[in-house]
Amino acid sequence: MSDSKNQLSKIPSLEQIVKLPKVMLHDHLDGGLRPQTIIDIAREINYEKLPSYDANELATWFRAACDSGSLVEYLETFEHTISVMQTEEHIKRVAREAVLDLARDGVVWAELRGAPELFTRKGLTIDQVIEATLAGYQEGEKLAAAEGLFIKTGSILCAMRQNNLALEIAEEVVKYRDQGVVGFDIAGPEDGFPPTRQIEAFEYLRKENMPFTIHAGEAFGLPSIWEAIQLCGTQRVGHGVHIADDIDFSSNPPKLGRLAQYVRDRRIPLELCPTSNLQTGIAQDYFGHPINNLWKLGFTVTINTDNRLMSRTSLSNEIYQCVKAFNWDLATIQEIVINAMKNAFTSVEVQNHIIENIITKRFAEILNN
């Protein structure tokens, strides 16, 4: 037992982290395209607005364009990715490659999210978008299995909070709940578009016993988180990083405000995305990100990528940056991965199976090698 504890206290390298089983709860499909795929499709459809048609240069451009410190400017880069996802085949390709890329990074459970309304510019129906996405995920799982990799995926359907399609998308979530759709979300600009604008959708989902998460506390403050939890009834908070604003860190020990204490004590999961949060101005560097303080205070922390293309990142990299900034050991990583799996939008049977037979066993195997 002591040898096992000693091993878990070790600080892992990036190479070790890649091999670890990981769980992703917050990853946008249209924010994780391969640069070369964008170029390939752009040429195929005669889309001439890309800033570069070299894959490496394009990847660099996306990361630089998103390092503005503004969520609004960050979101503008999606025009390019959305433009190349307007046919069923292109959506399938992007979804298939996303699952395979995540599997190669060691992700064993992935909830990918996208807003179907964004991919209907060329005539696709909402149903066609959803079905193409789900087909792509299934193809990606099969390709991963052919490489000896285990991954299971779930689809979260987003509604754009500035539009008025939330109830329609919520109905689609329920319609496809047994075909791979696992939950609902609202995304887009927070300021001026509080989650309560879509309250009818959330009431419908609760009546239908369907889980949902809400982007809140990413670029806007505590009122957004409070509304998402207390008025809309969200089961998880997308980002939620501004909950740190309700904590007095100058006090010893830090003093939690009423909302922060409620979020912590009710174990409401925070879908934190460190690199993305830095890009939208939450802190100057990883060491200044509140994720470690929130973890130490007992919040239900999960770690995610948000948009792998825009942040030029992977889940392994997100964890590695926290390892470097906060000296996270293997025990911490394992606990955070299990935290995420316990709060995945799937059955307890699936959660327990993946925790016991995939995550715990794989950590043990890696420690013993």
Side-chain angles (χ1 to χ4, degrees):
M1 182 66 72
S2 60
D3 287 344
S4 178
K5 286 184 177 180
N6 288 337
Q7 287 176 305
L8 281 171
S9 67
K10 290 181 179 177
I11 307 299
S13 65
L14 177 59
E15 292 73 18
Q16 290 173 314
I17 293 170
V18 171
K19 295 177 182 177
L20 295 174
K22 293 172 286 291
V23 173
M24 179 85 79
L25 300 183
H26 193 121
D27 187 77
H28 289 267
L29 183 62
D30 52 341
L33 285 71
R34 296 175 182 175
Q36 189 59 54
T37 294
I38 300 173
I39 293 166
D40 290 347
I41 299 175
R43 286 176 171 155
E44 184 181 332
I45 65 175
N46 297 315
Y47 180 79
E48 300 177 347
K49 298 179 181 179
L50 294 184
S52 174
Y53 287 79
D54 174 85
N56 189 59
E57 289 180 0
L58 186 61
T60 300
W61 178 86
F62 269 104
R63 175 62 197 255
C66 291
D67 282 343
S68 63
S70 163
L71 178 61
V72 174
E73 292 181 28
Y74 181 100
L75 293 175
E76 288 175 356
T77 62
F78 283 85
E79 177 59 29
H80 298 302
T81 59
I82 292 168
S83 294
V84 300
M85 295 176 64
Q86 297 298 324
T87 72
E88 289 174 285
E89 285 308 309
H90 294 153
I91 292 170
K92 283 182 188 178
R93 175 177 175 177
V94 170
R96 178 174 64 245
E97 292 176 351
V99 173
L100 188 56
D101 290 345
L102 290 171
R104 289 171 176 170
D105 189 44
V107 176
V108 296
W109 174 267
E111 293 177 9
L112 296 107
R113 62 188 71 190
E117 64 197 82
L118 298 177
F119 311 114
T120 59
R121 295 177 182 175
K122 298 293 180 68
L124 290 181
T125 65
I126 294 290
D127 281 10
Q128 286 175 319
V129 172
I130 295 169
E131 289 169 13
T133 304
L134 293 173
Y137 293 158
Q138 292 170 3
E139 291 171 8
E141 287 184 15
K142 291 177 182 177
L143 288 174
E147 293 185 11
L149 303 170
F150 174 90
I151 185 170
K152 292 298 179 185
T153 59
S155 176
I156 293 177
L157 303 185
C158 295
M160 301 308 294
R161 62 201 308 150
Q162 69 271 35
N163 298 335
N164 295 304
L165 294 176
L167 181 57
E168 179 182 341
I169 300 303
E171 291 170 347
E172 293 290 316
V173 169
V174 173
K175 177 180 178 179
Y176 286 94
R177 71 189 306 168
D178 296 320
Q179 300 175 54
V181 173
V182 299
F184 175 82
D185 178 30
I186 57 170
E190 281 185 75
D191 194 2
F193 301 97
T196 45
R197 289 181 83 242
Q198 316 295 349
I199 192 69
E200 191 176 6
F202 300 121
E203 290 175 347
Y204 167 77
L205 290 163
R206 281 189 283 184
K207 289 176 184 176
E208 293 294 334
N209 304 306
M210 195 72 205
F212 56 89
T213 180
I214 296 177
H215 274 72
E218 177 185 12
F220 200 62
L222 297 172
S224 177
I225 300 173
W226 182 83
E227 285 194 20
I229 294 170
Q230 305 298 9
L231 300 184
C232 300
T234 190
Q235 287 87 52
R236 300 192 321 227
V237 179
H239 294 282
V241 67
H242 275 287
I243 196 65
D245 298 347
D246 197 36
I247 303 171
D248 179 5
F249 288 104
S250 66
S251 175
N252 189 16
K255 184 177 181 181
L256 278 64
R258 296 290 189 188
L259 179 60
Q261 186 166 343
Y262 184 90
V263 169
R264 185 195 67 178
D265 294 351
R266 300 281 71 77
R267 297 181 175 86
I268 298 171
L270 303 174
E271 303 166 359
L272 297 171
C273 309
T275 301
S276 175
N277 298 153
L278 297 186
Q279 289 177 298
T280 53
I282 189 63
Q284 294 297 312
D285 53 33
Y286 291 98
F287 186 76
H289 192 286
I291 187 170
N292 191 54
N293 286 329
L294 293 172
W295 167 250
K296 290 193 294 185
L297 287 171
F299 285 81
T300 302
V301 164
T302 71
I303 185 166
N304 306 275
T305 56
D306 199 16
N307 299 290
R308 287 170 288 116
L309 171 66
M310 282 67 178
S311 296
R312 206 170 190 178
T313 193
S314 64
L315 189 50
S316 292
N317 178 64
E318 295 297 312
I319 294 172
Y320 181 57
Q321 295 304 327
C322 290
V323 166
K324 291 197 297 181
F326 310 119
N327 248 16
W328 280 5
D329 58 17
L330 286 166
T332 298
I333 297 169
Q334 185 177 35
E335 287 184 43
I336 289 175
V337 170
I338 291 174
N339 256 356
M341 195 64 235
K342 285 181 176 179
N343 289 286
F345 288 160
T346 187
S347 67
V348 168
E349 289 83 3
V350 172
Q351 292 173 358
N352 288 341
H353 172 76
I354 292 178
I355 289 170
E356 294 167 9
N357 297 296
I358 308 295
I359 295 173
T360 304
K361 284 187 177 180
R362 186 114 25 112
F363 264 88
E365 290 170 1
I366 290 169
L367 288 173
N368 291 330
N369 289 333

